[in-house]
Amino acid sequence: MKKKILIVGSNYYDNIYSGLLRSAKQKLKNNFLCDEILVPGVFEIPVAISKKIKKYDGFLALGCVIKGQTPHFDFISQASTNAIMSLSIENKKPIGNGIITCLNMKQAIKRKNKGSEAAEAVISILSI
């Protein structure tokens, strides 16, 4: 039976999210049943995962945070990372963190294919 994966993504930066999603789906295709839900920003990703935690075998968190002029970048990046890790450990389910944190859009564009790495992490843990 194929494992069920939920991809929870923020399309705040739609072009970046599309690349992350495409590369993740390429890694998962044919071997997993995948569903996708969108949330407005990366800060909302952990709560969306927590609402669905019992229904899926693994999760992918995909999105992008780009540093601006305020400390907001640091707060959002740290809070989402900590929440994802806590959910994963508490529920003993893999959550691939494909939320890229960049200093500018140029960096984000170069990293928009990193969704495959988050997918690979989930695949790896599911095989243990």
Side-chain angles (χ1 to χ4, degrees):
M1 180 177 208
K2 289 185 178 183
K3 301 275 187 182
K4 290 173 56 178
I5 304 293
L6 179 63
I7 300 169
V8 181
S10 164
N11 62 350
Y12 187 85
Y13 296 105
D14 191 49
N15 175 39
I16 305 305
Y17 173 70
S18 295
L20 292 166
L21 180 63
R22 187 173 26 261
S23 68
K25 283 186 170 181
Q26 184 68 27
K27 185 67 77 170
L28 297 169
K29 74 177 185 177
N30 302 325
N31 297 316
F32 298 90
L33 298 173
C34 296
D35 292 328
E36 175 190 357
I37 59 174
L38 292 174
V39 295
V42 300
F43 194 70
E44 292 78 26
I45 290 174
V47 73
I49 291 172
S50 71
K51 291 180 79 163
K52 304 286 187 177
I53 199 80
K54 295 191 184 324
K55 296 180 181 179
Y56 291 88
D57 300 301
F59 299 84
L60 284 179
L62 300 178
C64 178
V65 183
I66 297 177
K67 187 166 181 65
Q69 300 296 318
T70 69
H72 187 255
F73 168 88
D74 300 307
F75 300 140
I76 296 300
S77 300
Q78 192 66 55
S80 60
T81 299
N82 290 345
I84 288 168
M85 181 57 74
S86 293
L87 280 168
S88 183
I89 292 169
E90 289 167 13
N91 294 282
K92 297 174 182 58
K93 292 195 176 185
I95 303 173
N97 189 349
I99 298 172
I100 59 172
T101 54
C102 304
L103 298 178
N104 54 53
M105 183 57 78
K106 184 177 178 182
Q107 285 182 348
I109 291 168
K110 285 184 179 179
R111 298 180 72 212
K112 71 180 183 177
N113 293 319
K114 295 283 188 177
S116 64
E117 293 176 17
E120 185 62 42
V122 172
I123 293 167
S124 170
I125 297 302
L126 283 174
S127 68
I128 293 176

